[in-house]
Amino acid sequence: MNKILKKQVLNPTVTLMEVEAPLIARKAEPGQFIILRVDEAGERIPLTVADFDREKGTVTIIFQVVGATTEKLNHLEEGGFIHDFVGPLGRPTHTEGLKKVAVVGGGVGCAIAYPVAKKLHEQGTEVHAITGFRSKDLVILEDEFASHSSRFVRMSDDGSWGEKGLVTDALRKLIESGETYDEVITIGPLIMMKFVCAVTKEFGIKTVASMNPIMIDGTGMCGGCRLTVGGQTKFACVDGPEFDGHEIDFDEAMARGRTYQPFERKAYEETCNLFKEGN
Amino acid sequence: MPNMMPTKHPMPSQEPDVRNRNFSEVALGYDAETAIDEAKRCLNCKQKFCVSGCPVRIDIPAFIHEVAEGRFEEAYQIINLSSSLPAVCGRVCPQESQCEGVCVRGKKGEPVAIGRLERFVADWHRAHSAEKPAAPAPNGHKVAVIGSGPSGLTCAGDLAKKGYKVTVFEALHLAGGVLVYGIPEFRLPKSIVQSEIDNLTALGVDVETNVVIGRTITIDELMEQYGFEAVFIGSGAGLPKFMNIPGENLKGVYSANEFLTRINLMKAYQPDSSTPIQHAKKVAVVGGGNVAMDAARCAKRLGADVTIVYRRTEEELPARREEVEHAMEEGIVFRFLESPIAIHGDDQGWVRSITCQKMELGEPDASGRRRPVPIEGAEEETPMDCVIMALGTSPNPLIKTTTKGLETQRWGGIIVEEATGQTSREGVYAGGDAVTGAATVILAMGAGKTAAAAIDDYLSKK
């Protein structure tokens, strides 16, 4: 049981929680994830570590309410407990030796992109942050990105925040204007990462994408999180979650991500109804 | 006079057409009268072949003698001297290749039903003895056990009985390892596993779930910062193997580990579980071991037509004979001498069919079994909407990559001294699937036992 020390609503569907987890906080690095269960009958879901405080012994998670489990999680309050919380899992983001990096985040993926940008910025790497949201009311972590990058590009689908357009447009513009990067790190929806990788491939820039597939144990036992990278089967939980974006089979990953969609939709509706009845 | 009936008393079981639709235990167990009569079949041989056939050396004739006399608690105490998980072993041990395989009664007729008697005794004890084992006086030494499967539980139990302060670290949210995530409820009820774990906690063992050794804490930290003087690694099997054939990442292709974990650990078969599972119509399970049988029988219980595809013949099936028989009775189809070469998907990325290559048996290979050889041009495509790969596992790299100086085989198994389970690191021992690759519950228990004795020896000399 892990105590929720702080809960903050970042936008109508995205919530931040600071969770007491001293053992995990001691070890966590950007790029790693935790697995949680909300209650005794709950499913196990992976969530990437959004921040950590080694002194306070806390781990921060940021999640979007997309299904039954995140809906239930969102109903927990400060002082409440998460039933199971295990980690840190996966390999940390490789940051050593990078001089200049573009961090490209989309939607709630920015929650994962942020600790990476922060670590790079703090170690002296020049960070260009490009973040995209559907509209202004969905924006998260604006100040955090602004203070941990030397260049911060804001994009929105409808033009209500920053420039109107996609993160790929912004990235292409920067590269074409002469910016050079050792590496591009991209975290967001699969379709966005797929197109970010298509752009960087054109320019031959090494790109790392952070994958978040369906997972059960998170320690290399079930194989549910497998994906094809460079023609080989890899397990996101132990080999990743970050992989060479130019080698990932995104179409396969997108199809696999939809395996339980009808089940998930039904479970989500049932959970929402449950909470409505409770009110 | 011994009972000279040539066959074992049959095991009372749920009818095949009933049980293949529920997850309750298949075998119902002997009653006292049947157990006594079966026990009387034992000849109490001077040379105890059965004991040498048992990986943990239970004094089998002695416990069976007590059963024959109706002294069930005494029988339990004899088993308890050698085995810490009798209710589990009575259910899942491959007795036909161990104790019962060398039983003298088996030469003319069937061997004594040692496994069924062991189960009877353990269940009797659980039903009639409310008494929890008492924790012995502490000896002041701390030992960490990594993994709460059969090897870890055995090692922890043996050490705790000697007064060691043992902490078991489990990566999942529930203790039991393969006994809870792998072996299905209908073969090993989870309440039995839980009661074995409760016995360990009564002995003073701490069980810490949700701790991944190698990630949350490393072995070096356990020894340097947490004060553990010895560590036993019983982390079990690791990454599931796949065949590297086209279509293996389609939706509807599972590793047996994933399929079984969803069902057994996450209870996906229960309507109120929040973990989803595909309710397929036609399932192919690839492989011939116990795990393949478990996966096939689970899929059947979820309502599918199930086919096991195995590249050798019935004779070479590595699964326990009883599991194969149960699977056949439950209506699972076996296709022998076939091996999948491709899985085909529909336009939504779901499995639609598999193509199998027909095989014939050639020369024996390194395992002594005849090697299956493809028959040129003999291929067949069969409609399927789910494929489960039960091909074994390769060791998990987490502990190996985070523990300095821990030597492993080229294929990843931890290298140990066979007689002690000691690894290349002082004070660090290992056993079970993490050392041997996928094997059986009882072999893992044997390894846990060996290591517990060696750790006791090491720490008492220290």
Side-chain angles (χ1 to χ4, degrees):
Chain A
M1 297 284 249
N2 296 67
K3 194 172 185 180
I4 300 163
L5 297 181
K6 179 180 152 191
K7 179 180 175 183
Q8 187 185 347
V9 175
L10 299 185
N11 76 34
T13 63
V14 177
T15 303
L16 174 151
M17 278 181 184
E18 202 177 316
V19 181
E20 195 172 60
L23 289 180
I24 305 174
R26 272 180 63 183
K27 286 290 173 63
E29 291 289 345
Q32 291 189 298
F33 62 95
I34 56 95
I35 283 189
L36 63 79
R37 283 203 318 159
V38 175
D39 52 37
E40 184 53 50
E43 65 174 332
R44 295 171 64 94
I45 62 158
L47 284 175
T48 306
V49 171
D51 208 349
F52 48 84
D53 187 324
R54 302 210 202 282
E55 270 85 64
K56 268 171 75 186
T58 60
V59 170
T60 301
I61 50 172
I62 294 178
F63 59 92
Q64 184 165 26
V65 178
V66 288
T69 298
T70 42
E71 173 75 20
K72 278 195 267 182
L73 182 59
N74 202 29
H75 277 80
L76 297 179
E77 300 300 337
E78 276 177 20
F81 289 86
I82 297 174
H83 201 282
D84 298 286
F85 201 79
V86 58
L89 300 166
R91 298 175 181 217
T93 305
H94 170 82
T95 53
E96 262 169 61
L98 297 176
K99 295 202 169 56
K100 188 171 170 185
V101 171
V103 176
V104 184
V108 74
C110 290
I112 309 162
Y114 165 64
V116 176
K118 181 179 164 188
K119 178 164 183 186
L120 288 167
H121 183 75
E122 283 172 356
Q123 74 180 24
T125 303
E126 186 179 351
V127 176
H128 289 185
I130 305 168
T131 62
F133 297 91
R134 281 209 310 278
S135 62
K136 188 174 195 298
D137 51 342
L138 299 178
V139 171
I140 58 171
L141 303 172
E142 181 171 7
D143 297 342
E144 286 83 350
F145 274 108
S147 57
H148 290 92
S149 58
S150 58
R151 195 161 179 175
F152 180 31
V153 184
R154 300 164 174 85
M155 303 296 290
S156 60
D157 293 1
D158 62 0
S160 57
W161 184 68
E163 272 179 71
K164 182 176 157 79
L166 302 173
V167 289
T168 41
D169 303 333
L171 178 64
R172 178 180 291 280
K173 219 159 128 186
L174 284 173
I175 298 169
E176 284 176 348
S177 75
E179 297 286 359
T180 54
Y181 301 108
D182 297 341
E183 197 171 297
V184 171
I185 299 176
T186 179
I187 306 165
L190 288 168
I191 188 78
M192 180 204 93
M193 295 196 286
K194 177 183 170 175
F195 285 106
V196 167
C197 292
V199 169
T200 56
K201 194 162 187 179
E202 228 178 275
F203 296 97
I205 305 169
K206 187 185 170 196
T207 303
V208 169
S210 178
M211 305 298 279
N212 188 18
I214 293 169
M215 219 175 255
I216 307 179
D217 64 298
T219 63
M221 190 266 282
C222 83
C225 66
R226 66 190 187 278
L227 64 164
T228 303
V229 182
Q232 284 187 316
T233 293
K234 296 278 180 192
F235 295 152
C237 66
V238 286
D239 300 321
E242 296 180 350
F243 295 97
D244 180 343
H246 297 155
E247 300 287 339
I248 296 171
D249 184 339
F250 281 105
D251 293 338
E252 179 188 273
M254 283 186 264
R256 285 185 65 78
R258 289 191 292 268
T259 304
Y260 299 106
Q261 217 171 39
F263 177 97
E264 284 160 356
R265 198 173 302 127
K266 189 162 161 277
Y268 184 24
E269 282 163 13
E270 284 171 4
T271 308
C272 292
N273 288 337
L274 208 66
F275 283 116
K276 266 183 220 149
E277 280 161 25
N279 284 342
Chain B
M1 266 300 284
N3 168 1
M4 293 311 289
M5 189 170 74
T7 53
K8 296 177 184 179
H9 276 279
M11 180 61 123
S13 300
Q14 283 196 68
E15 288 302 318
D17 280 340
V18 174
R19 70 183 191 231
N20 66 12
R21 274 171 263 161
N22 69 54
F23 277 82
S24 306
E25 193 169 17
V26 167
L28 304 170
Y30 283 166
D31 57 20
E33 199 184 332
T34 313
I36 291 173
D37 203 49
E38 180 65 30
K40 287 182 176 160
R41 294 184 64 230
C42 176
L43 302 176
N44 210 348
C45 310
K46 228 178 225 157
Q47 192 166 1
K48 302 168 178 181
F49 294 109
C50 51
V51 178
S52 50
C54 173
V56 296
R57 303 279 183 268
I58 295 173
D59 190 346
I60 293 165
F63 100 75
I64 290 184
H65 177 72
E66 297 298 334
V67 175
E69 299 292 321
R71 293 190 294 259
F72 305 137
E73 181 58 28
E74 285 79 356
Y76 177 81
Q77 293 308 332
I78 291 170
I79 298 176
N80 196 38
L81 292 175
S82 321
S83 168
S84 38
L85 307 168
V88 174
C89 292
R91 287 169 167 82
V92 305
C93 261
Q95 289 96 1
E96 72 266 27
S97 56
Q98 298 175 359
C99 52
E100 294 183 23
V102 289
C103 173
V104 171
R105 291 298 305 265
K107 287 184 181 155
K108 282 185 199 163
E110 289 182 354
V112 177
I114 301 169
R116 293 171 188 175
L117 290 173
E118 181 186 22
R119 167 187 163 148
F120 168 79
V121 168
D123 287 357
W124 191 93
H125 170 80
R126 205 154 33 88
H128 293 88
S129 165
E131 218 176 294
K132 288 274 167 210
N139 68 8
H141 292 293
K142 273 175 77 179
V143 179
V145 168
I146 304 168
S148 61
S151 72
L153 293 181
T154 303
C155 186
D158 279 15
L159 288 169
K161 285 177 194 164
K162 293 196 168 105
Y164 289 89
K165 184 68 202 161
V166 182
T167 306
V168 177
F169 294 97
E170 167 58 48
L172 291 171
H173 56 264
L174 190 64
V178 73
L179 307 175
V180 297
Y181 76 73
I183 302 177
E185 177 77 15
F186 56 80
R187 204 147 80 76
L188 177 63
K190 300 311 148 215
S191 57
I192 289 174
V193 182
Q194 192 52 51
S195 94
E196 299 290 4
I197 290 161
D198 292 345
N199 282 339
L200 282 189
T201 33
L203 281 171
V205 173
D206 289 326
V207 180
E208 296 283 344
T209 53
N210 291 328
V211 179
V212 184
I213 300 300
R215 289 277 188 238
T216 320
I217 307 173
T218 64
I219 287 183
D220 290 296
E221 288 166 342
L222 285 176
M223 301 184 86
E224 287 157 20
Q225 298 174 20
Y226 290 78
F228 290 102
E229 298 158 84
V231 175
F232 174 74
I233 307 170
S235 52
L239 288 65
K241 286 184 186 158
F242 288 91
M243 301 185 81
N244 295 317
I245 58 173
E248 232 169 357
N249 292 347
L250 286 164
K251 289 184 280 183
V253 182
Y254 291 89
S255 75
N257 270 3
E258 179 184 359
F259 191 75
L260 290 170
T261 300
R262 284 180 183 273
I263 291 175
N264 301 323
L265 177 73
M266 307 309 297
K267 307 278 178 239
Y269 66 91
Q270 291 175 351
D272 63 343
S273 171
S274 41
T275 298
I277 189 134
Q278 183 194 0
H279 287 261
K281 292 190 179 64
K282 279 180 71 68
V283 176
V285 177
V286 184
N290 288 322
V291 174
M293 302 303 136
D294 285 344
R297 296 172 71 196
C298 283
K300 183 78 189 175
R301 281 159 173 75
L302 292 176
D305 287 331
V306 184
T307 305
I308 286 181
V309 180
Y310 180 56
R311 61 196 183 127
R312 293 181 160 105
T313 71
E314 185 171 350
E315 232 169 87
E316 287 87 14
L317 280 173
R320 283 174 90 211
R321 191 63 219 163
E322 188 178 270
E323 307 312 324
V324 176
E325 282 164 11
H326 278 157
M328 286 176 170
E329 287 166 12
E330 287 168 12
I332 286 156
V333 176
F334 283 73
R335 276 169 56 174
F336 295 110
L337 290 169
E338 291 193 44
S339 181
I341 50 173
I343 306 169
H344 313 282
D346 63 16
D347 54 3
Q348 299 294 306
W350 281 96
V351 172
R352 171 175 59 81
S353 65
I354 59 168
T355 298
C356 291
Q357 163 77 58
K358 309 231 184 233
M359 318 289 274
E360 58 190 354
L361 290 184
E363 294 299 307
D365 63 12
S367 71
R369 297 177 302 175
R370 293 176 66 194
R371 184 194 302 274
V373 185
I375 303 172
E376 194 85 13
E379 294 172 8
E380 190 184 330
E381 188 178 338
T382 315
M384 291 287 168
D385 56 354
C386 174
V387 179
I388 301 169
M389 296 293 181
L391 307 161
T393 56
S394 52
N396 193 309
L398 267 187
I399 286 179
K400 175 186 134 186
T401 52
T402 54
T403 310
K404 282 172 275 171
L406 186 72
E407 283 172 22
T408 56
Q409 313 271 5
R410 265 175 53 197
W411 54 269
I414 299 169
I415 296 174
V416 299
E417 259 181 41
E418 210 181 314
T420 59
Q422 204 201 314
T423 67
S424 54
R425 279 280 304 265
E426 192 190 331
V428 179
Y429 297 74
D433 286 3
V435 169
T436 57
T440 61
V441 168
I442 186 73
L443 286 174
M445 283 181 50
K449 220 177 166 49
T450 302
I455 289 171
D456 178 42
D457 196 39
Y458 166 69
L459 290 180
S460 28
K461 279 181 195 152
K462 218 178 160 184

